Amino acid sequence: MGLTAGLIGLPNVGKSTIFNALTCGNAAVENYPFCTIEPNHGIAALPDGRLERIVCRVPTGRIVPAFLEMVDIAGLVRGASKGEGLGNQFLGHVKEVDALVMVVRCFDAGDVVHVNGSIDAVRDIEIIETELMLKDLETVERSLTRTAKAVMTGDKELVRKAALLERVLGGLQRGVPARQSIAGPEERTLIADLHLLTVKPVLYVANAGDGDRSAAELGRLEAVAAHAAHNGGIAVTISGRIESEIMQLPGEERAEYYASLGIAESGLAVLARSLYRLLNLRTFFTVNEKELHAWTILQGSSAVEAAAAVHTDFAHGFVRADVYCVEELEQYGSEAALRAAGKIRSEGREYVVNDGDIMFFKATP
């Protein structure tokens, strides 16, 4: 499955800097509002150390990692739900992504203007979330009016949908995002056609400075983490400027530079891991003499659903899946040794795929 994350935030919070660093892109980065107008699209290969661990023991050709599509969306301002700034365009682009990556300015920098005149991370978050909820409020009210008329037919699904819309509407009126009023996947599917903005999971990215952090900046970082925890989201800290500088280096020098700064892993690795956790995603692998490929699926996916991710023909003609894991491959040293030891399992359609499984699908033509 493809994964698309939309970078959102107020103008001048560092969205485009982070976007460029993570995707090696060339989105415009300037010190004025609405520098980004049309959304910039980029693809980032997700870091996964297991790929190297596999290729060390299974001779193969090219390596295809999992990918994240990132969309750098124009900055939002207060009043966007009513069309202020680039509001209508912004909100339309948000509908198209799987998850929201909300970039929040926490760094001190007098040379970078703030659209609201001062740096206040929680205030900025609340502006964005309020505009998303106001737009959803408008959408739900309009849908509820249509659905209420259709309920007169006695259709059970429409009755359920109307009740859910009433619950979501009440939550939005109290300042509660739609995702907190929806009980589970079935209810989410029931109103999926509305493309509500506050249904989407949110990863909060606190954009930190590139030097020693002041007490004020540390306070903002803590405030973002607390807000995320309170609202069921996840918060990570990334320095857009540092990531941007490191991406200018040759690949072999980047790890050394991160280590010199005391940074354990790249911002992309932090963001990717957090998005996988937020969206309940897992990775499995296929490998042969031509290619090692990482695939992304939902947690709890069956073997036949994993087969469909590789090719629909594998799902239609599914017979079985031969399965082992990266740790077993390292323990025994090769596929041949695993097979000789009887450690490659034969699993059926309903097998629940584990993160890190290596799979070979058998299917009828």
Side-chain angles (χ1 to χ4, degrees):
M1 60 181 292
L3 173 58
T4 305
L7 271 69
I8 65 172
L10 299 180
N12 286 7
V13 297
K15 287 189 302 83
S16 295
T17 298
I18 289 175
F19 171 85
N20 287 338
L22 300 184
T23 65
C24 298
N26 56 0
V29 180
E30 300 292 348
N31 184 17
Y32 59 86
F34 306 121
C35 173
T36 301
I37 298 178
E38 289 301 318
N40 297 299
H41 292 255
I43 300 293
L46 301 183
D48 193 328
R50 293 172 298 187
L51 290 166
E52 290 300 324
R53 291 161 61 191
I54 294 170
V55 79
C56 284
R57 293 164 177 81
V58 181
T60 188
R62 67 173 186 158
I63 300 175
V64 182
F67 287 92
L68 168 65
E69 180 181 0
M70 302 190 74
V71 186
D72 180 22
I73 300 173
L76 175 147
V77 295
R78 197 188 303 273
S81 60
K82 303 301 181 184
E84 292 295 326
L86 299 172
N88 291 330
Q89 289 173 269
F90 171 95
L91 296 166
H93 294 139
V94 169
K95 289 183 178 181
E96 301 172 4
V97 302
D98 300 310
L100 301 179
V101 177
M102 188 185 298
V103 180
V104 185
R105 176 174 172 177
C106 293
F107 61 86
D108 296 308
D111 59 327
V112 180
V113 298
H114 192 290
V115 70
N116 289 322
S118 62
I119 306 172
D120 185 330
V122 173
R123 177 204 59 199
D124 293 352
I125 291 172
E126 289 175 347
I127 289 173
I128 297 168
E129 293 182 335
T130 297
E131 294 303 324
L132 297 181
M133 283 191 280
L134 287 172
K135 192 64 177 180
D136 277 356
L137 190 62
E138 176 187 313
T139 301
V140 171
E141 287 176 336
R142 190 167 54 245
S143 178
L144 193 54
T145 300
R146 294 194 303 266
T147 305
K149 295 177 181 177
V151 164
M152 302 298 291
T153 64
D155 184 289
K156 291 183 178 179
E157 182 165 314
L158 286 175
V159 171
R160 288 174 52 235
K161 183 173 184 178
L164 175 57
L165 288 172
E166 290 281 7
R167 192 197 316 152
V168 171
L169 178 64
L172 290 169
Q173 290 171 333
R174 299 190 308 274
V176 177
R179 59 182 167 274
Q180 294 185 26
S181 298
I182 298 173
E186 188 176 340
E187 288 193 346
R188 187 183 293 265
T189 300
L190 196 60
I191 57 173
D193 60 312
L194 300 184
H195 302 289
L196 296 180
L197 307 178
T198 62
V199 164
K200 299 178 187 297
V202 180
L203 175 65
Y204 299 85
V205 175
N207 190 10
D210 54 359
D212 293 336
R213 292 168 184 169
S214 67
E217 182 175 350
L218 290 172
R220 295 180 202 119
L221 296 175
E222 292 174 0
V224 172
H227 183 93
H230 179 73
N231 289 276
I234 297 174
V236 298
T237 297
I238 293 176
S239 171
R241 285 189 175 182
I242 288 177
E243 295 295 330
S244 182
E245 290 173 3
I246 291 178
M247 285 304 106
Q248 307 305 313
L249 299 174
E252 62 274 11
E253 295 180 17
R254 293 175 187 172
E256 183 178 337
Y257 195 2
Y258 278 121
S260 71
L261 297 173
I263 300 174
E265 55 186 344
S266 71
L268 177 58
V270 171
L271 189 143
R273 187 178 64 254
S274 300
L275 279 175
Y276 265 57
R277 176 181 158 201
L278 187 69
L279 295 172
N280 292 317
L281 300 177
R282 298 293 182 268
T283 301
F284 75 94
F285 306 95
T286 56
V287 61
N288 55 34
E289 66 278 0
K290 294 182 179 179
E291 179 182 277
L292 167 60
H293 202 304
W295 304 91
T296 302
I297 54 173
L298 287 171
Q299 179 182 2
S301 293
S302 66
V304 73
E305 289 170 330
V310 178
H311 200 290
T312 53
D313 287 351
F314 289 162
H316 292 154
F318 186 93
V319 174
R320 71 174 191 272
D322 290 345
V323 183
Y324 58 96
C325 67
V326 177
E327 290 73 20
E328 290 170 330
L329 177 62
E330 290 182 317
Q331 180 182 350
Y332 286 86
S334 69
E335 280 189 334
L338 277 168
R339 198 171 297 280
K343 296 298 182 179
I344 297 182
R345 309 184 307 279
S346 181
E347 302 287 359
R349 300 173 61 88
E350 303 306 318
Y351 169 73
V352 176
V353 180
N354 293 309
D355 188 59
D357 275 352
I358 302 171
M359 308 183 74
F360 179 80
F361 299 104
K362 301 288 183 67
T364 57

